[in-house]
Amino acid sequence: MRRLSLLVLVLPLALLAASCGGGGGGSSLAASDVAVVGDTHITRSDLDRRVFQAECSYKLQKRAFPKAGSPEFSAIQGQILIGLVERAEVEQKAPGLGATVSDKQVADQLAKLKTQFYGGNEKRYLADLKRQCVTDGEVRSFVRSNLLSDAVYRKVTAGVKVSDSEAKGYYLKNTANYTQERTRVVRHILVKDKATADRLYAQLKAGADFAALAKRYSQDPGSKAQGGQLTITKGKTVPEFDRVAFELKTGALSKPVKSQFGWHIIQALKPATPRRATPFPQVKEAIRQQLLQQRKSEALKVWLDGVRKEFAPKTTYATGFEPPATTTAPTTTG
């Protein structure tokens, strides 16, 4: 049974990755705080707990966790703090969007996770939490935060649409991406040296069974068992093989052809199919979904940038916990 890796819940959450910048102007820092975001206090114990869980995850992966005070340790600690700050930002913005998460949603999602990863076995679930240094209450908190991130994403991107005409316009501008190249059914025998290739070629010209020789001598594991037969797409094989395979008349046998893999003897079994564009109706929905995701990503980025700017003067960090000046581009999962 697969286990649920809680590292994805412990570290910065799915929706959030825009660095929130640093200044002052939020509530006053308490002695126990590492940051204050608006009216949310993030304590040193909150941060230390997440760092401890990250260290636990490293140990489970048999990886050495960076020593406290090292640049690597500071980078991990800083990234975790950014995640906590981002979560605080979104939790404060969510009510204005009408994004909420009920206790039932949390319970239902957790039940799904337990079924997926533990077969619904509660003892197995609790044992794995202990192994990963996470409590049930923390998992519920992480699940709630992820569900809230998803709800915010849906609210922010609810108005994003892509019409059929827009999808058609994209298709016409990118027809090459929706063109099926020529294909051909061939068979070949691949050997390492020319002497062997010449000997097999002579046997084939004398009437030897191609499939039998391919199964016995070919060094191509992908086609050997099929008597050397495979369907190739124009431009997808090595140039020397590609050129000869598509030039051969149907039924014709090539002389040995050298490529980076060795020496090939090729026989064309069927005529090559013509190159043709995939009809728009067959790809319309895929294009629409692609454009829709791109536009949702753009809408989310604009919103996250706005949140970052809004909270910059409302966020205060304790000395030594300020984020680096550079920012991280926002993710777009929802």
Side-chain angles (χ1 to χ4, degrees):
M1 176 66 66
R2 294 176 299 157
R3 290 189 176 92
L4 168 62
S5 174
L6 295 171
L7 181 62
V8 298
L9 300 173
V10 173
L11 293 179
L13 301 174
L15 174 62
L16 316 168
S19 178
C20 37
S27 301
S28 299
L29 279 164
S32 60
D33 292 338
V34 290
V36 176
V37 186
D39 57 7
T40 300
H41 291 254
I42 300 172
T43 67
R44 179 62 188 264
S45 62
D46 292 335
L47 180 60
D48 287 346
R49 176 65 178 167
R50 301 305 191 279
V51 171
F52 167 71
Q53 289 165 340
E55 182 177 4
C56 183
S57 177
Y58 268 61
K59 288 180 180 178
L60 289 174
Q61 298 173 57
K62 303 188 184 304
R63 298 167 59 197
F65 194 71
K67 292 183 179 179
S70 68
E72 294 79 10
F73 178 90
S74 296
I76 292 173
Q77 183 185 63
Q79 188 63 28
I80 292 173
L81 179 55
I82 286 174
L84 292 172
V85 169
E86 291 165 345
R87 184 167 76 174
E89 291 176 347
V90 169
E91 286 175 349
Q92 292 177 58
K93 292 294 294 182
L97 293 171
T100 60
V101 176
S102 67
D103 292 343
K104 184 178 186 304
Q105 286 176 290
V106 174
D108 290 346
Q109 180 65 16
L110 186 56
K112 288 180 182 178
L113 293 174
K114 289 179 181 180
T115 299
Q116 179 180 357
F117 294 99
Y118 305 102
N121 188 306
E122 187 72 12
K123 288 184 178 179
R124 204 190 265 162
Y125 162 73
L126 293 174
D128 205 33
L129 296 199
K130 184 177 181 180
R131 190 180 68 91
Q132 297 190 58
C133 309
V134 183
T135 68
D136 179 67
E138 287 171 330
V139 171
R140 291 176 185 275
S141 176
F142 301 149
V143 168
R144 182 180 294 276
S145 293
N146 282 336
L147 288 173
L148 186 62
S149 295
D150 290 344
V152 167
Y153 176 83
R154 290 192 296 271
K155 291 290 185 178
V156 170
T157 62
V160 178
K161 307 291 182 186
V162 176
S163 67
D164 287 353
S165 61
E166 289 171 322
K168 183 63 176 288
Y170 181 88
Y171 171 82
L172 293 175
K173 290 180 180 178
N174 298 274
T175 305
N177 296 335
Y178 302 99
T179 298
Q180 298 176 1
E181 290 292 343
R182 301 170 66 201
T183 63
R184 193 168 201 183
V185 179
V186 300
R187 59 183 178 182
H188 81 130
I189 299 172
L190 171 65
V191 293
K192 294 298 183 183
D193 60 275
K194 188 174 186 301
T196 302
D198 287 339
R199 177 167 56 82
L200 295 177
Y201 175 72
Q203 292 179 31
L204 290 169
K205 293 294 286 184
D209 185 280
F210 194 109
L213 291 181
K215 290 178 180 179
R216 181 175 179 183
Y217 293 103
S218 184
Q219 301 297 304
D220 178 17
S223 65
K224 179 176 182 175
Q226 290 74 45
Q229 182 171 321
L230 71 164
T231 301
I232 60 172
T233 300
K234 183 66 176 173
K236 299 297 184 181
T237 58
V238 289
E240 302 87 352
F241 187 100
D242 191 81
R243 176 180 58 80
V244 172
F246 281 94
E247 286 180 353
L248 282 173
K249 292 182 179 180
T250 302
L253 185 72
S254 76
K255 291 182 179 180
V257 178
K258 190 177 188 304
S259 79
Q260 66 191 71
F261 299 107
W263 291 84
H264 308 262
I265 305 169
I266 309 167
Q267 186 175 35
L269 297 180
K270 294 183 179 180
T273 61
R275 185 175 186 268
R276 66 184 184 89
T278 303
F280 173 66
Q282 292 182 21
V283 295
K284 180 179 73 173
E285 185 58 24
I287 292 174
R288 194 182 71 80
Q289 289 297 330
Q290 176 187 334
L291 294 179
L292 188 63
Q293 185 57 48
Q294 289 175 355
R295 292 182 184 182
K296 285 185 175 183
S297 298
E298 291 165 2
L300 178 62
K301 182 182 184 303
V302 169
W303 184 82
L304 286 172
D305 286 345
V307 171
R308 176 178 58 82
K309 292 175 182 177
E310 176 185 342
F311 276 90
K314 303 177 184 178
T315 303
T316 306
Y317 292 90
T319 301
F321 291 93
E322 303 89 344
T326 56
T327 59
T328 306
T331 60
T332 55
T333 54

